[in-house]
Amino acid sequence: MPTLFVDGLAVEDTWTLVDGEQPIPDGEDVIVTLPVYQANRDKLLARNDGRVGVHLDPLEPVEAIADDLDHLALVSLDFPSFADGTSFSKARLLRDRHGFEGEVRATGDIRIDQVSHMQRCGFDALSISHQATINSLIEVKDPSLKLYYQPALGDSDTRISGKAWARRAG
């Protein structure tokens, strides 16, 4: 069972994932897969008894929901393997290109060394299934890096310049 972390703390997940032929429950916050969203778009956007989120797999484009982002409270992006970084780019697209201000949630095989990068890309919440990462975060191990080579959301003076890299490598 995955554990949901928001702002570094394990919290109860109040959202219900709806996949396949499952009925969409009334009165609950629901995360639906893209095919379910596309098949029930009008009904979901007309809901006034619960928030709506959409889950995207790595091969599903953000543009499939871009026109409806103002009506969505959450976008969930999957990491089926720690080696698949496609969803990092999607989080940046949601924040930078589309101006999405709702929750961006990472799900799946998330490892401790990816956590700080996810925060820098715009993820608000992490639904983690990798037990060692869950244990590390519960033990309050700080996964953040202190220096970076690239800019990010909310970046300050933490980047290493090219000259600093050259000095370190030499």
Side-chain angles (χ1 to χ4, degrees):
M1 180 88 168
T3 301
L4 180 63
F5 288 87
V6 178
D7 295 327
L9 299 173
V11 299
E12 180 184 352
D13 190 355
T14 60
W15 290 79
T16 301
L17 179 63
V18 177
D19 188 11
E21 300 298 319
Q22 250 180 287
I24 299 169
D26 293 327
E28 295 182 29
D29 295 337
V30 294
I31 302 171
V32 297
T33 60
L34 182 59
V36 171
Y37 182 74
Q38 291 170 328
N40 298 282
R41 179 184 175 274
D42 294 336
K43 176 183 174 188
L44 287 165
L45 293 180
R47 282 174 58 117
N48 57 8
D49 62 346
R51 297 175 295 168
V52 176
V54 175
H55 177 79
L56 297 176
D57 288 330
L59 296 178
E60 296 172 331
V62 168
E63 291 72 25
I65 59 170
D67 291 340
D68 296 335
L69 288 173
D70 289 343
H71 305 286
L72 300 176
L74 178 149
V75 176
S76 170
L77 302 173
D78 193 35
F79 287 82
S81 162
F82 71 91
D84 185 344
T86 307
S87 292
F88 284 108
S89 300
K90 288 182 183 182
R92 288 300 297 258
L93 286 172
L94 284 165
R95 296 295 191 202
D96 296 343
R97 183 179 295 167
H98 300 291
F100 183 64
E101 295 181 6
E103 179 179 311
V104 179
R105 179 182 292 196
T107 65
D109 190 19
I110 298 165
R111 305 299 171 101
I112 192 71
D113 60 339
Q114 295 172 308
V115 171
S116 65
H117 298 295
M118 288 177 172
Q119 292 166 340
R120 291 172 50 81
C121 287
F123 286 97
D124 302 302
L126 311 173
S127 180
I128 302 173
S129 58
H130 184 251
Q131 193 59 50
T133 299
I134 293 169
N135 295 344
S136 292
L137 290 174
I138 288 174
E139 293 169 9
V140 194
K141 291 188 179 173
D142 182 8
S144 64
L145 301 174
K146 305 305 178 214
L147 298 171
Y148 303 98
Y149 295 100
Q150 75 285 351
L153 296 175
D155 208 7
S156 59
D157 297 325
T158 58
R159 281 182 275 142
I160 298 173
S161 71
K163 289 183 181 181
W165 173 252
R167 283 194 302 268
R168 290 177 138 199

